C-alpha cells in the first residue's frame, strides 16, 4: 500500500542513553503512540520494528477497537532479540521475523530495517521519543523512501526532538501541540470523516468512498 505509515518510537532508557532520556517525556510518548493508533488503525497500514516498550502500547490500543488489527499492522522483529520478545508479539498475526547476521546486534538491526523499508511503499514516517535507533532508522528510511513525509514529534523529546532540530522542521505544532490526534490528522492527511474498516480488504481504493455518508 502506498499510504502505509512507518512508526519509529521508544521510551529512552536513562542508563543506556541519558542525553535522550533527559529531554524525553514518557507520558507524551505514550499519548502520541496511542493517538497514532487512534488516527490510523482501520484506515492505514502501520509498520514498525518490534520494541519491548512500544509493542505492548500498540496491542492495548488495537484491542480496544473493533478492527482486525492483524490485517492493519505489520511488525518486524530481528531474531537477535528472540530471548526478549514481548509476549504481545504472539498476538499479532503479521510478524516478520528477520534472521540474525553473524550474531551481531548492529548488523542484525540494519538488515531488519532494510527489509522494512524495501518491502513497503510508505506515505510517511512518524518518529516519537526514542534514542539512537530513531536516528538510524531515519537515515535508512530516507535512503529507501526519499519522497515519503517525515513527522518528528519533537514535543515527545528524546531523539525525535534531535531529529526535528537536525532537519530544521518548520512545523511549530510538532514542537508545541499536545493534541496528538489532531496533529496526526493534519500531518498524515487522514480526514476525520474517514471511516474505519474492520479488515484491510474491506477498504475501498478510492478515498471518496471511505468517507462517512458514502456507500463505500
Amino acid at each position: 500500500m502506498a499510504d502505509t505509515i512507518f512508526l519509529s518510537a521508544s521510551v529512552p532508557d536513562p542508563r543506556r542513553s541519558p542525553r535522550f532520556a533527559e529531554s524525553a517525556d514518557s507520558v507524551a510518548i505514550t499519548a502520541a503512540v496511542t493517538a497514532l493508533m487512534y488516527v490510523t488503525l482501520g484506515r492505514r497500514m502501520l509498520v514498525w520494528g518490534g520494541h519491548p516498550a512500544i509493542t505492548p502500547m500498540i496491542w492495548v490500543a488495537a484491542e480496544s477497537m473493533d478492527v482486525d488489527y492483524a490485517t492493519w499492522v505489520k511488525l518486524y522483529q530481528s531474531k537477535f532479540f528472540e530471548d526478549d520478545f514481548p509476549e504481545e508479539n504472539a498476538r499479532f498475526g503479521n510478524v516478520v521475523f528477520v534472521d540474525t547476521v553473524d550474531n551481531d546486534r548492529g548488523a542484525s538491526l540494519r538488515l531488519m530495517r532494510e527489509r522494512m523499508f524495501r518491502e513497503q511503499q510508505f506515505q510517511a514516517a512518524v518518529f516519537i521519543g526514542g534514542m539512537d535507533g530513531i536516528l538510524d532508522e531515519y537515515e535508512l528510511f530516507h535512503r529507501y523512501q526519499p519522497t515519503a513525509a517525515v513527522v518528528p514529534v519533537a514535543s515527545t523529546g528524546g531523539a525525535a526532538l534531535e531529529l526535528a532540530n537536525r532537519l530544521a522542521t518548520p512545523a511549530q505544532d510538532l514542537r508545541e501541540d499536545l493534541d496528538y490526534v489532531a496533529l496526526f490528522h493534519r500531518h498524515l492527511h487522514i480526514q476525520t470523516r474517514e471511516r474505519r474498516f474492520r479488515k484491510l480488504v474491506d477498504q475501498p481504493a478510492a478515498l471518496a468512498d471511505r468517507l462517512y455518508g458514502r456507500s463505500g
Side-chain angles (χ1 to χ4, degrees):
M1 292 180 66
D3 52 3
T4 298
I5 307 296
F6 171 64
L7 169 63
S8 181
S10 72
V11 179
D13 184 336
R15 294 167 299 180
R16 286 177 50 204
S17 191
R19 75 182 179 97
F20 289 128
E22 184 177 357
S23 66
D25 184 335
S26 60
V27 174
I29 292 169
T30 301
V33 171
T34 302
L36 183 65
M37 294 301 100
Y38 177 80
V39 171
T40 61
L41 204 61
R43 294 166 169 158
R44 300 290 186 275
M45 171 70 80
L46 188 75
V47 175
W48 80 98
H51 188 281
I54 299 301
T55 299
M57 291 185 202
I58 295 176
W59 162 251
V60 169
E63 191 180 38
S64 68
M65 297 183 186
D66 187 24
V67 297
D68 184 358
Y69 54 84
T71 71
W72 284 106
V73 301
K74 183 180 287 187
L75 166 63
Y76 279 75
Q77 184 76 70
S78 172
K79 291 181 181 178
F80 182 88
F81 301 100
E82 192 165 7
D83 291 341
D84 299 316
F85 285 171
E87 65 180 49
E88 285 80 8
N89 274 14
R91 297 170 175 166
F92 290 94
N94 201 0
V95 183
V96 178
F97 293 102
V98 181
D99 289 336
T100 61
V101 178
D102 300 324
N103 204 33
D104 182 293
R105 183 182 187 276
S108 298
L109 277 172
R110 185 180 179 88
L111 176 62
M112 182 197 76
R113 289 164 176 161
E114 287 177 338
R115 281 197 56 184
M116 279 196 298
F117 303 147
R118 285 199 315 262
E119 294 177 357
Q120 275 81 215
Q121 182 179 353
F122 290 95
Q123 168 196 342
V126 177
F127 298 89
I128 297 171
M131 300 180 283
D132 291 294
I134 294 274
L135 304 177
D136 294 340
E137 289 189 333
Y138 164 74
E139 294 296 337
L140 271 181
F141 180 86
H142 185 61
R143 182 179 305 172
Y144 283 96
Q145 306 278 334
T147 63
V150 174
V151 184
V153 187
S155 62
T156 61
L161 173 59
E162 182 168 317
L163 178 59
N165 291 339
R166 285 189 188 184
L167 299 176
T169 300
Q172 198 62 23
D173 60 348
L174 290 173
R175 300 177 183 276
E176 299 177 352
D177 193 349
L178 302 183
D179 182 352
Y180 294 121
V181 169
L183 187 79
F184 290 133
H185 274 296
R186 286 195 301 274
H187 284 272
L188 300 178
H189 305 290
I190 299 174
Q191 297 187 38
T192 57
R193 293 176 56 222
E194 193 171 332
R195 292 180 291 157
R196 300 182 197 280
F197 293 86
R198 190 167 191 282
K199 294 186 177 182
L200 180 60
V201 296
D202 298 333
Q203 185 186 58
L207 176 60
D209 293 331
R210 303 175 191 174
L211 304 180
Y212 287 107
R214 299 296 293 262
S215 57

